[in-house]
Amino acid sequence: MGEHLERRSERNRAVPPLTQIFIGLRYLATGDFYSEVGDLHGVSKSTVSRVLGSFLDVLNEQLDNIKFPMSPEERQAIKLEFYQKSRIPGVIGAIDGTLVPIIGPHENEEVFRSRKGFHALNVQAVVDTKTIFRDVVSRWPGSVHDSAIFNNCGLKQYLETQQVGCLLGDSGYGLKTFLLTPKLNPITQQEVRYNAAHRRGRVVVERAFGMLKSRFRCLHKSGGCLPFQPQRAAKVVVACMRLHNLCVQFNVAVPQMNDTENDEIDDNIVGDGIDVNAQQARQLIIDRF
C-alpha cells in the first residue's frame, strides 16, 4: 500500500506514505476533526482531507478482502459452521442493514433522512460466523428499506439463479427460498425453537456491525457523522469493513463495545408478498425442530 501512496505523493507533493497511512487510520478509528488529526501529524486540515481521499482510494483498490464464498468447498465449510451454531442447514451468511450517519447531502437531502431522524447511508452486509464481511452494498440512502436494497442487489440475483445456499435475515426482509426469516407470531414449540435457532445464526451480523463501529468510531453516532457527500462516505464505510476483516484475520482485539448503539433496523414487516415455495421450504426446516 505504501508504494502506491508514494507514487501519488511524488505526483501531488504530499506527505510521506507512512504518515498518510497514520492520518487515514487515525481518522477512521476516531472520527476526529481534521484540525485534531492534522495537529497530531503536523499538517493542515486541507492536507488531511487530501491525504484521506488518496488513502481511501488506495486501500479500497489494494485490500481486496470482501469476497462472497464462490467455491463449493468454501461454501460447504461456512454452511457447516452455521449449522453447528443454529442447526439450520444450507446457510451461507447472515444479512442485515445498518445506518451510518452522514452530513445532509447537497442533493436529495430528505431521501437520506433515516427513520431514526438523522441523515445516513443504509449499508447492507452479509457476514459469516467469524464476523467477516462477505458482501457489502453501501450506496443506498438511509430512508430506503432493507428489503428494497436486497431486491436490487446483484447478490439476490446470484442466489436466486445459482441456488448455492440461503441467508438468514430478520423479518424486515421478505421470505425467499434463499433468504430465511423468523416465523412471525410463533404458535407451536417447533416454531419457537426455530426462531431461537434463527436468532443464534443471525446474531453474527449484528455483532459484526457492533465490532465495526467500535473499531472505527467515525461510523458511530458518538463521532458525530461522516462530513462527506454520499459517494465519499460510502468509500469510508467499505474501507472500514476491509480493515475490520483484516483485524479478524489477525485476531486484533476489539475495543469496548458497551456504548455502541444499535443502529440496525428491525421493522418486523414483510413487504415482498407471499412466496408459497419459500413458506413450504421454511416449514420443512421448522418441522426439524
Side-chain angles (χ1 to χ4, degrees):
M1 181 174 178
E3 62 183 17
H4 296 277
L5 288 171
E6 187 171 14
R7 286 201 293 269
R8 298 184 186 207
S9 297
E10 292 172 352
R11 183 173 67 249
N12 298 331
R13 300 181 61 82
V15 295
L18 188 59
T19 304
Q20 292 187 53
I21 293 172
F22 289 157
I23 288 172
L25 292 177
R26 175 73 184 186
Y27 177 78
L28 298 182
T30 64
D32 285 346
F33 293 117
Y34 282 179
S35 57
E36 296 176 1
V37 177
D39 289 345
L40 184 65
H41 296 284
V43 299
S44 66
K45 290 192 295 183
S46 61
T47 299
V48 172
S49 177
R50 178 164 46 83
V51 164
L52 181 61
S54 295
F55 173 80
L56 293 172
D57 287 342
V58 171
L59 191 152
N60 284 324
E61 290 169 4
Q62 299 301 314
L63 187 57
D64 184 19
N65 65 349
I66 299 178
K67 297 181 178 181
F68 198 75
M70 300 303 291
S71 71
E73 295 78 15
E74 188 177 14
R75 288 197 296 264
Q76 187 59 37
I78 292 175
K79 289 177 182 179
L80 178 59
E81 291 168 355
F82 269 105
Y83 184 78
Q84 291 171 339
K85 192 175 188 65
S86 67
R87 295 301 176 188
I88 297 177
V91 178
I92 54 175
I95 186 171
D96 204 355
T98 190
L99 296 174
V100 175
I102 65 171
I103 194 170
H106 300 318
E107 299 179 358
N108 302 316
E109 177 183 356
E110 285 307 308
V111 178
F112 285 86
R113 190 180 298 277
S114 70
R115 289 180 287 281
K116 294 195 174 185
F118 56 87
H119 296 98
L121 296 176
N122 188 2
V123 180
Q124 174 184 286
V126 174
V127 307
D128 62 21
T129 59
K130 297 181 176 67
T131 70
I132 291 175
F133 291 104
R134 291 291 190 159
D135 187 80
V136 174
V137 179
S138 62
R139 62 186 176 87
W140 288 89
S143 67
V144 179
H145 195 277
D146 286 357
S147 62
I149 297 175
F150 180 68
N151 286 335
N152 286 278
C153 75
L155 180 60
K156 187 251 188 183
Q157 307 302 322
Y158 173 76
L159 294 173
E160 190 171 31
T161 58
Q162 299 302 311
Q163 301 179 349
V164 295
C166 67
L167 304 176
L168 298 179
D170 63 30
S171 52
Y173 294 96
L175 175 65
K176 308 287 184 185
T177 54
F178 49 87
L179 200 167
L180 290 174
T181 60
K183 179 74 174 179
L184 295 179
N185 304 313
I187 298 175
T188 68
Q189 285 300 308
Q190 287 175 310
E191 292 172 347
V192 170
R193 288 193 290 267
Y194 163 78
N195 276 4
H198 188 282
R199 174 67 181 172
R200 288 196 302 274
R202 192 179 79 244
V203 73
V204 294
V205 66
E206 298 172 5
R207 183 165 181 263
F209 285 143
M211 295 167 66
L212 176 74
K213 293 183 179 183
S214 290
R215 284 188 165 120
F216 304 104
R217 303 302 291 185
C218 69
L219 304 182
H220 189 260
K221 285 198 298 183
S222 64
C225 67
L226 292 176
F228 312 123
Q229 292 304 295
Q231 185 175 6
R232 187 168 185 180
K235 290 183 180 181
V236 172
V237 172
V238 174
C240 290
M241 289 178 162
R242 294 186 190 281
L243 289 170
H244 164 86
N245 284 359
L246 195 66
C247 289
V248 174
Q249 178 183 349
F250 289 99
N251 297 312
V252 177
V254 183
Q256 290 293 325
M257 294 191 294
N258 55 359
D259 64 339
T260 299
E261 185 175 341
N262 180 14
D263 285 328
E264 283 63 75
I265 304 172
D266 189 356
D267 288 315
N268 289 321
I269 61 173
V270 179
D272 293 342
I274 297 175
D275 185 327
V276 176
N277 290 333
Q279 288 183 329
Q280 292 174 345
R282 182 176 66 180
Q283 189 59 50
L284 290 174
I285 295 175
I286 291 174
D287 292 343
R288 299 164 61 101
F289 290 90

